[in-house]
């Protein structure tokens, strides 16, 4: 591991209370992924380089920045200890997206949602106060929750709540970059008509994956037109093409917007082993995506970077490594993907999941080298799928997004220098 020559004030938001956000014993979003991440980061000596901040629960007033009073009341009612989810409560719950397979009701769900939101708020407060410039809260990233209903495993939208808080505490230009495999629909919805917030989401194509939103034509409303940017990618997109698209769109848009802080949703479900989606990134590619966002914060925002977790359902082999890299990058530590995973951590992982082989290294030997977008679309090819066909498809996606939004930012969509 290599330490950054000039350490940047940074912190990690962590409390064992985050593990209370457990939708059910069989639900794919198992908080085990958080516990194993923290243990891996600790076993590699990364947490020793960070200040650990234990958050408080958010207040209900903070939740009301984004959510409606009726929704908060519904969450509390259906998850109260004496609820029993009798018929009336089931009807109330389902009307607010609660009690279905994605968002099952669990005891004290309101409290669990408040501690996750409180974690991301604590991260925002650390940066706003000047106590840290980079802060990570891996329990956050609940980007699908809408004002009046739960969605996609998300009860309260901590990302949007923290952005709203920052807007009230001295920030007037905030960039939100979402690299989860699913579209960051809840955050886009919250700020779709607010020109102070730019939302950028890179995700699997909405024609192939829930929630079915995140088309390039979703640009923002009114004075905010041009501040909603969506980059959909077809199933099977690997590291090299994903990174080509990221660098063809995100840096230019961020530099044009000139944000004061970058908020990153760092879902790890873009991985090729993720059971719920179809992109083909490796941990190596995810690490470079996180590093690119950190470096943009250093370049454009005086280092102010708030990073949260999100999706990711490879509980043993993927999420702990991916988010350990995230924590390390915030600390200014470069963990070589060839670094061996400590035996003590592998043994603990085996106890949790004896049927899953733990990873041996901190990377997957992913092919992360990529050619930068040159401003031209590769000519279509015929015949079986090929590298040329995949390149043509990603370049077509790049141009579609750039031509939709770049003119609204004063940029030339066909010029790779923008």
């Amino acid at each position: 591991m290599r330490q950054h020559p000039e350490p940047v004030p940074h912190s990690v938001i962590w409390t064992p209370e985050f593990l209370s956000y457990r939708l059910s014993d069989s639900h794919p979003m198992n908080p085990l992924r958080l516990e194993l991440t923290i243990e891996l980061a600790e076993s590699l000596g990364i947490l020793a380089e960070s200040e650990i901040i234990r958050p408080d629960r958010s207040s209900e007033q903070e939740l009301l920045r984004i959510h409606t009073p009726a929704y908060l009341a519904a969450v509390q009612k259906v998850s109260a200890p004496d609820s029993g989810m009798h018929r009336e409560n089931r009807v109330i719950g389902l009307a607010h997206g609660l009690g279905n397979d994605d968002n099952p009701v669990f005891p004290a769900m309101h409290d669990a949602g408040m501690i996750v939101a409180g974690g991301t708020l604590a991260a925002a407060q650390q940066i706003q106060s000047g106590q840290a410039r980079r802060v990570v809260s891996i329990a956050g990233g609940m980007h699908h929750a809408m004002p009046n209903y739960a969605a996609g495993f998300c009860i309260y939208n901590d990302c949007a709540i923290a952005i709203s808080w920052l807007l009230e505490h001295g920030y007037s230009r905030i960039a939100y970059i979402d690299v989860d495999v699913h579209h960051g629909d809840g955050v886009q919805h919250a700020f779709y008509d607010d020109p102070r917030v730019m939302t950028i989401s890179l995700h699997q194509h909405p024609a192939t994956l829930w929630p079915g939103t995140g088309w390039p034509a979703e640009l923002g409303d009114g004075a905010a037109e041009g501040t909603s940017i969506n980059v959909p990618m077809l199933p099977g997109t690997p590291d090299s093409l994903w990174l080509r698209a990221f660098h063809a769109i995100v840096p230019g848009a961020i530099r044009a917007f000139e944000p004061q802080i970058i908020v990153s949703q760092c879902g790890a479900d873009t991985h090729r082993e993720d059971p719920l989606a179809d992109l083909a990134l490796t941990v190596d590619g995810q690490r470079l995506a996180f590093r690119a966002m950190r470096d943009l914060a250093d370049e454009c925002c005086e280092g102010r970077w708030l990073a949260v977790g999100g999706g990711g359902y490879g509980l043993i082999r993927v999420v702990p490594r991916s988010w350990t890299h995230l924590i390390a990058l915030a600390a200014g530590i470069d963990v070589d993907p060839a670094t061996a995973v400590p035996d003590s951590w592998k043994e603990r992982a085996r106890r949790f999941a004896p049927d899953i082989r733990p990873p041996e290294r901190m990377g997957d030997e992913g092919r992360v080298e990529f050619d930068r977008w040159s401003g031209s679309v590769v000519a279509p090819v015929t015949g079986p799928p090929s590298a040329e066909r995949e390149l043509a498809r990603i370049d077509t996606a790049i141009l579609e997004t750039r031509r939709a939004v770049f003119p609204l930012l004063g940029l030339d969509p066909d010029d790779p220098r923008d």
Side-chain angles (χ1 to χ4, degrees):
M1 294 188 295
R2 181 171 56 83
Q3 186 81 31
H4 192 285
E6 296 181 6
V8 172
H10 62 279
S11 56
V12 173
I13 309 299
W14 177 251
T15 171
E17 287 187 79
F18 285 152
L19 305 179
S20 68
Y21 195 101
R22 188 183 181 102
L23 292 158
S24 75
D25 289 344
S26 60
H27 197 281
M29 197 167 78
N30 189 322
L32 171 63
R33 64 198 189 130
L34 307 180
E35 188 173 6
L36 288 178
T37 296
I38 292 298
E39 291 180 357
L40 181 56
E42 188 170 33
S43 68
L44 287 171
I46 294 165
L47 285 188
E49 304 292 334
S50 304
E51 182 180 7
I52 308 300
I53 303 297
R54 183 165 185 150
D56 296 322
R57 293 174 183 169
S58 68
S59 67
E60 291 186 7
Q61 195 62 38
E62 299 292 6
L63 299 180
L64 289 170
R65 291 176 174 279
I66 299 299
H67 299 288
T68 66
Y71 177 55
L72 265 61
V75 174
Q76 294 176 75
K77 185 174 181 64
V78 301
S79 62
D82 58 351
S83 166
M85 278 303 280
H86 52 74
R87 185 177 185 280
E88 177 189 357
N89 283 355
R90 285 199 300 273
V91 171
I92 292 171
L94 290 172
H96 293 279
L98 300 165
N100 53 35
D101 289 343
D102 275 1
N103 312 303
V105 171
F106 61 96
M109 182 169 59
H110 177 61
D111 290 343
M114 285 200 298
I115 191 61
V116 171
T120 307
L121 276 170
Q125 290 159 359
Q126 282 273 302
I127 295 174
Q128 187 272 340
S129 68
Q131 294 174 272
R133 273 192 281 164
R134 301 175 187 155
V135 187
V136 178
S137 182
I138 57 171
M142 304 298 159
H143 60 165
H144 295 306
M146 292 292 180
N148 203 34
Y149 61 91
F153 316 161
C154 304
I155 307 303
Y156 297 133
N157 196 321
D158 61 288
C159 308
I161 290 165
I163 290 170
S164 172
W165 186 91
L166 287 166
L167 289 172
E168 284 195 9
H169 289 81
Y171 292 84
S172 58
R173 298 180 77 77
I174 298 172
Y176 169 81
I177 308 174
D178 190 318
V179 298
D180 195 286
V181 78
H182 300 93
H183 177 229
D185 56 340
V187 183
Q188 176 180 286
H189 174 84
F191 303 105
Y192 202 63
D193 60 355
D194 191 333
R196 299 173 298 171
V197 180
M198 171 176 278
T199 63
I200 305 176
S201 179
L202 301 95
H203 46 268
Q204 186 172 321
H205 199 286
T208 69
L209 189 68
W210 186 92
T213 56
W215 300 83
E218 297 169 30
L219 300 171
D221 274 345
E225 190 178 27
T227 60
S228 177
I229 302 174
N230 289 290
V231 190
M233 304 191 205
L234 290 171
T237 299
D239 293 322
S240 59
L241 297 184
W242 193 100
L243 290 166
R244 180 180 175 93
F246 179 99
H247 286 281
I249 293 168
V250 178
I254 291 293
R255 290 167 185 146
F257 186 66
E258 297 181 340
Q260 299 153 313
I261 184 171
I262 290 176
V263 178
S264 296
Q265 200 271 16
C266 301
D269 43 7
T270 53
H271 196 274
R272 64 192 180 191
E273 294 182 18
D274 194 88
L276 301 187
D278 310 292
L279 294 188
L281 274 67
T282 65
V283 167
D284 310 66
Q286 293 174 336
R287 168 179 166 270
L288 290 185
F290 303 157
R291 190 172 75 181
M293 292 188 286
R294 182 202 68 182
D295 291 350
L296 278 171
D298 285 348
E299 175 190 344
C300 302
C301 310
E302 299 179 333
R304 288 183 287 270
W305 185 42
L306 194 170
V308 295
Y313 310 100
L315 305 178
I316 305 295
R317 292 182 47 79
V318 178
V319 177
R321 288 185 297 158
S322 182
W323 289 350
T324 293
H325 281 296
L326 176 64
I327 293 169
L329 287 163
I333 299 170
D334 192 4
V335 177
D336 188 332
T339 301
V341 172
D343 290 338
S344 59
W345 184 89
K346 289 190 290 185
E347 181 56 36
R348 181 152 174 76
R350 288 190 192 98
R351 288 202 294 272
F352 281 117
D355 296 333
I356 298 176
R357 178 175 56 85
E360 295 294 328
R361 304 287 173 186
M362 285 298 293
D364 297 319
E365 298 184 347
R367 298 179 62 183
V368 295
E369 299 80 11
F370 66 98
D371 293 324
R372 291 184 179 270
W373 181 71
S374 63
S376 61
V377 177
V378 176
V381 296
T382 59
S386 63
E388 290 80 9
R389 182 185 295 275
E390 291 178 356
L391 189 60
R393 286 173 173 167
I394 202 68
D395 281 357
T396 299
I398 288 168
L399 261 182
E400 185 177 5
T401 296
R402 286 177 63 106
R403 287 177 176 169
V405 74
F406 269 35
L408 299 168
L409 299 174
L411 301 174
D412 184 344
D414 297 298
D415 189 340
R417 294 172 297 179
D418 278 359

